């Protein structure tokens, strides 16, 4: 599906090395592209990707929001850094994201055999968030959908299991086409 290399400020350059090995019998086809505008599964419209990756963190230490999200991301509970991403180990871990748009899809990985997440947007009640299973214990789930365009507050609660959260695709009419 893809992988997340984080965000970079406008006019700054981001360089990462990627090693690709074809261990199969056929031809390996791949492509690279920047995040940004596209479409998120289950949410119509233009999207922008909000990465939770913080390259300055050591694995096992406490997770801190990347500089670009310090004003819009709050965490409570036992969140630790796992290769730069926030890892929650079960009940009591919550994340609150302030975002502009009409919906958000969460991307992440299960660390435990089962994972249960709950979501609430603005003043709506908390609901269990269905997770669509992808390859390699990865998942995606609609955290917020069918909202009026504008500022929103998303609350995520980890109910069961351990998860690593990678980022969100936010539906936003202001995203570049």
């Amino acid at each position: 599906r893809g992988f997340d290399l984080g965000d970079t400020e406008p006019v700054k350059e981001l360089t990462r090395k990627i090693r690709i090995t074809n261990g199969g019998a056929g031809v390996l086809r791949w492509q690279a592209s920047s995040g940004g505008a596209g479409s998120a599964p289950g949410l119509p419209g233009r999207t922008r990707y909000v990465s939770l990756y913080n390259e300055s963190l050591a694995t096992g230490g406490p997770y801190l929001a990347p500089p670009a999200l310090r004003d819009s991301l709050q965490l409570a509970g036992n969140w630790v850094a796992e290769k730069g991403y926030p890892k929650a180990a079960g009940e009591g871990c919550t994340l609150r994201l302030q975002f502009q748009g009409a919906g958000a899809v969460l991307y992440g990985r299960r660390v435990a055999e089962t994972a249960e997440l709950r979501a609430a947007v603005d003043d709506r009640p908390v609901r269990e968030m269905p997770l669509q299973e992808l390859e390699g214990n990865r998942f995606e789930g609609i955290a917020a959908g069918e909202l009026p365009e504008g500022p929103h507050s998303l609350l995520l609660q980890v109910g069961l299991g351990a998860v690593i959260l990678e980022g969100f695709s936010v539906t936003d009419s202001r995203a570049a086409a």
Side-chain angles (χ1 to χ4, degrees), residues 19-116:
R19 182 180 309 233
I20 298 174
T21 305
N22 183 2
V27 174
L28 172 68
R29 296 186 198 289
W30 69 280
Q31 68 181 27
S33 63
S34 65
S39 64
L43 294 179
R46 293 178 284 188
T47 63
R48 61 186 167 80
Y49 188 71
V50 177
S51 175
L52 299 177
Y53 179 69
N54 187 342
E55 68 182 334
S56 66
L57 300 178
T59 294
Y63 175 81
L64 301 171
L69 296 178
R70 290 237 165 91
D71 294 333
S72 59
L73 181 68
Q74 297 88 38
L75 299 138
N78 186 25
W79 291 90
V80 296
E82 179 69 31
K83 297 181 180 175
Y85 294 100
K87 177 182 175 184
E91 214 168 328
C93 291
T94 61
L95 173 148
R96 183 173 299 277
L97 176 70
Q98 309 296 324
F99 72 94
Q100 172 75 29
V105 174
L106 171 68
Y107 298 93
R109 288 177 279 158
R110 280 186 304 101
V111 180
E113 199 162 308
T114 60
E116 180 184 291

